[in-house]
PDB file of all heavy atoms in Angstrom:
ATOM      1  N   LYS B  82    -135.937 205.189 183.475  1.00 98.00           N
ATOM      2  CA  LYS B  82    -134.524 205.320 183.867  1.00 98.00           C
ATOM      3  C   LYS B  82    -133.801 206.348 183.005  1.00 98.00           C
ATOM      4  O   LYS B  82    -132.906 207.056 183.492  1.00 98.00           O
ATOM      5  CB  LYS B  82    -133.816 203.969 183.740  1.00 98.00           C
ATOM      6  CG  LYS B  82    -134.247 202.930 184.751  1.00 98.00           C
ATOM      7  CD  LYS B  82    -133.557 201.591 184.452  1.00 98.00           C
ATOM      8  CE  LYS B  82    -134.103 200.475 185.325  1.00 98.00           C
ATOM      9  NZ  LYS B  82    -133.504 199.152 184.961  1.00 98.00           N
ATOM     10  N   MET B  83    -134.183 206.418 181.739  1.00 98.00           N
ATOM     11  CA  MET B  83    -133.522 207.348 180.816  1.00 98.00           C
ATOM     12  C   MET B  83    -134.143 208.737 180.833  1.00 98.00           C
ATOM     13  O   MET B  83    -133.651 209.651 180.169  1.00 98.00           O
ATOM     14  CB  MET B  83    -133.557 206.785 179.386  1.00 98.00           C
ATOM     15  CG  MET B  83    -132.680 205.575 179.184  1.00 98.00           C
ATOM     16  SD  MET B  83    -132.630 205.020 177.448  1.00 98.00           S
ATOM     17  CE  MET B  83    -134.073 203.967 177.358  1.00 98.00           C
ATOM     18  N   GLY B  84    -135.250 208.899 181.571  1.00 98.00           N
ATOM     19  CA  GLY B  84    -135.915 210.196 181.620  1.00 98.00           C
ATOM     20  C   GLY B  84    -136.645 210.548 180.342  1.00 98.00           C
ATOM     21  O   GLY B  84    -136.750 211.717 179.971  1.00 98.00           O
ATOM     22  N   ILE B  85    -137.180 209.540 179.670  1.00 98.00           N
ATOM     23  CA  ILE B  85    -137.899 209.736 178.408  1.00 98.00           C
ATOM     24  C   ILE B  85    -139.399 209.689 178.674  1.00 98.00           C
ATOM     25  O   ILE B  85    -139.916 208.731 179.272  1.00 98.00           O
ATOM     26  CB  ILE B  85    -137.509 208.654 177.388  1.00 98.00           C
ATOM     27  CG1 ILE B  85    -136.031 208.796 177.015  1.00 98.00           C
ATOM     28  CG2 ILE B  85    -138.386 208.736 176.132  1.00 98.00           C
ATOM     29  CD1 ILE B  85    -135.509 207.676 176.129  1.00 98.00           C
ATOM     30  N   GLY B  86    -140.118 210.710 178.231  1.00 98.00           N
ATOM     31  CA  GLY B  86    -141.561 210.742 178.391  1.00 98.00           C
ATOM     32  C   GLY B  86    -142.248 209.807 177.422  1.00 98.00           C
ATOM     33  O   GLY B  86    -141.719 209.473 176.360  1.00 98.00           O
ATOM     34  N   TYR B  87    -143.464 209.376 177.776  1.00 98.00           N
ATOM     35  CA  TYR B  87    -144.183 208.405 176.942  1.00 98.00           C
ATOM     36  C   TYR B  87    -145.673 208.441 177.233  1.00 98.00           C
ATOM     37  O   TYR B  87    -146.119 209.005 178.240  1.00 98.00           O
ATOM     38  CB  TYR B  87    -143.641 206.990 177.196  1.00 98.00           C
ATOM     39  CG  TYR B  87    -143.684 206.567 178.651  1.00 98.00           C
ATOM     40  CD1 TYR B  87    -144.841 206.033 179.228  1.00 98.00           C
ATOM     41  CD2 TYR B  87    -142.564 206.734 179.459  1.00 98.00           C
ATOM     42  CE1 TYR B  87    -144.875 205.677 180.568  1.00 98.00           C
ATOM     43  CE2 TYR B  87    -142.581 206.371 180.796  1.00 98.00           C
ATOM     44  CZ  TYR B  87    -143.743 205.837 181.344  1.00 98.00           C
ATOM     45  OH  TYR B  87    -143.777 205.488 182.666  1.00 98.00           O
ATOM     46  N   LYS B  88    -146.414 207.826 176.342  1.00 98.00           N
ATOM     47  CA  LYS B  88    -147.841 207.569 176.535  1.00 98.00           C
ATOM     48  C   LYS B  88    -148.059 206.064 176.626  1.00 98.00           C
ATOM     49  O   LYS B  88    -147.503 205.302 175.837  1.00 98.00           O
ATOM     50  CB  LYS B  88    -148.652 208.142 175.370  1.00 98.00           C
ATOM     51  CG  LYS B  88    -148.704 209.661 175.335  1.00 98.00           C
ATOM     52  CD  LYS B  88    -149.633 210.158 174.218  1.00 98.00           C
ATOM     53  CE  LYS B  88    -149.699 211.683 174.213  1.00 98.00           C
ATOM     54  NZ  LYS B  88    -150.612 212.195 173.147  1.00 98.00           N
ATOM     55  N   HIS B  89    -148.874 205.650 177.597  1.00 98.00           N
ATOM     56  CA  HIS B  89    -149.177 204.230 177.800  1.00 98.00           C
ATOM     57  C   HIS B  89    -150.442 204.132 178.646  1.00 98.00           C
ATOM     58  O   HIS B  89    -150.596 204.898 179.596  1.00 98.00           O
ATOM     59  CB  HIS B  89    -148.025 203.517 178.500  1.00 98.00           C
ATOM     60  CG  HIS B  89    -148.339 202.112 178.913  1.00 98.00           C
ATOM     61  ND1 HIS B  89    -148.382 201.087 177.995  1.00 98.00           N
ATOM     62  CD2 HIS B  89    -148.662 201.575 180.110  1.00 98.00           C
ATOM     63  CE1 HIS B  89    -148.693 199.961 178.629  1.00 98.00           C
ATOM     64  NE2 HIS B  89    -148.865 200.247 179.911  1.00 98.00           N
ATOM     65  N   PRO B  90    -151.360 203.203 178.346  1.00 98.00           N
ATOM     66  CA  PRO B  90    -151.293 202.290 177.195  1.00 98.00           C
ATOM     67  C   PRO B  90    -151.827 202.939 175.928  1.00 98.00           C
ATOM     68  O   PRO B  90    -152.730 203.764 175.977  1.00 98.00           O
ATOM     69  CB  PRO B  90    -152.198 201.144 177.629  1.00 98.00           C
ATOM     70  CG  PRO B  90    -153.214 201.796 178.517  1.00 98.00           C
ATOM     71  CD  PRO B  90    -152.496 202.910 179.235  1.00 98.00           C
ATOM     72  N   VAL B  91    -151.243 202.545 174.818  1.00 98.00           N
ATOM     73  CA  VAL B  91    -151.719 202.945 173.494  1.00 98.00           C
ATOM     74  C   VAL B  91    -152.004 201.664 172.728  1.00 98.00           C
ATOM     75  O   VAL B  91    -151.152 200.780 172.672  1.00 98.00           O
ATOM     76  CB  VAL B  91    -150.666 203.783 172.739  1.00 98.00           C
ATOM     77  CG1 VAL B  91    -151.187 204.173 171.366  1.00 98.00           C
ATOM     78  CG2 VAL B  91    -150.278 205.022 173.536  1.00 98.00           C
ATOM     79  N   ALA B  92    -153.185 201.530 172.158  1.00 98.00           N
ATOM     80  CA  ALA B  92    -153.554 200.304 171.443  1.00 98.00           C
ATOM     81  C   ALA B  92    -153.396 199.084 172.370  1.00 98.00           C
ATOM     82  O   ALA B  92    -152.723 198.117 172.031  1.00 98.00           O
ATOM     83  CB  ALA B  92    -152.734 200.145 170.173  1.00 98.00           C
ATOM     84  N   VAL B  93    -153.967 199.178 173.540  1.00 98.00           N
ATOM     85  CA  VAL B  93    -154.026 198.121 174.566  1.00 98.00           C
ATOM     86  C   VAL B  93    -152.715 198.017 175.347  1.00 98.00           C
ATOM     87  O   VAL B  93    -152.684 198.253 176.557  1.00 98.00           O
ATOM     88  CB  VAL B  93    -154.419 196.752 173.974  1.00 98.00           C
ATOM     89  CG1 VAL B  93    -154.596 195.712 175.102  1.00 98.00           C
ATOM     90  CG2 VAL B  93    -155.691 196.848 173.132  1.00 98.00           C
ATOM     91  N   THR B  94    -151.638 197.604 174.676  1.00 98.00           N
ATOM     92  CA  THR B  94    -150.377 197.392 175.390  1.00 98.00           C
ATOM     93  C   THR B  94    -149.227 198.217 174.832  1.00 98.00           C
ATOM     94  O   THR B  94    -148.097 198.089 175.323  1.00 98.00           O
ATOM     95  CB  THR B  94    -149.971 195.905 175.332  1.00 98.00           C
ATOM     96  OG1 THR B  94    -149.963 195.481 173.961  1.00 98.00           O
ATOM     97  CG2 THR B  94    -150.932 195.033 176.121  1.00 98.00           C
TER      98      THR B  94
END
Side-chain angles (χ1 to χ4, degrees):
K82 291 175 188 176
M83 291 185 274
I85 295 174
Y87 56 84
K88 290 185 179 181
H89 172 76
V91 180
V93 185
T94 53

